[in-house]
Amino acid sequence: MSVIDNPERHRFEYEVEGKTAFIDYRRSPGVVALTHAEVPTELEGRGVGSHLVRGTLDLVRASGDKVIPACSFVAAFIQRNADYQDLVAK
C-alpha cells in the first residue's frame, strides 16, 4: 500500500482496510499547501497518519515542489523529522 495523488479531489490518499486516510492540498507553481489531514477513527493510533504524511512528502519531493504545512499534524510531523524540513517553502 502506498500513498497516491488524487488530483481530481485535490488530495493525497492512503487506503487501509477499505478506509481512506487523506491530506487535502492546494497547488501553486512549485508549492503544495497541505491544508488538512484526516484519518478514519477506525485507523487511529496505528501509525496510519505518519505513513500518510511521509508518503505525501516523498511524492512532493519527487515532483521537485516545496510544501506549506498549513495542517498542524503535517507541521508537527515535519518538525519531528529533520529529513523533511528542507521541503518547507520559505
Side-chain angles (χ1 to χ4, degrees), residues 15-85:
E15 188 171 322
V16 179
E17 298 173 5
K19 306 286 183 193
T20 304
F22 62 89
I23 297 176
D24 290 325
Y25 66 78
R26 288 188 319 268
R27 283 194 186 272
S28 309
V31 180
V32 181
L34 303 174
T35 60
H36 174 75
E38 192 166 313
V39 175
T41 306
E42 303 87 355
L43 302 176
E44 289 178 357
R46 297 171 45 189
V48 170
S50 292
H51 183 86
L52 171 64
V53 175
R54 187 177 308 281
T56 295
L57 295 175
D58 289 344
L59 287 172
V60 172
R61 184 185 304 280
S63 74
D65 292 336
K66 296 289 187 181
V67 297
I68 297 171
C71 168
S72 60
F73 184 79
V74 173
F77 180 91
I78 292 172
Q79 186 67 31
R80 289 189 313 268
N81 293 275
D83 51 328
Y84 290 107
Q85 292 174 6

Side-chain angles (χ1 to χ4, degrees), residues 4-7 9-13 20 22-25:
I4 62 163
D5 183 1
N6 183 339
R9 297 191 76 181
H10 305 282
R11 67 187 199 177
F12 293 96
E13 300 176 339
T20 304
F22 62 89
I23 297 176
D24 290 325
Y25 66 78

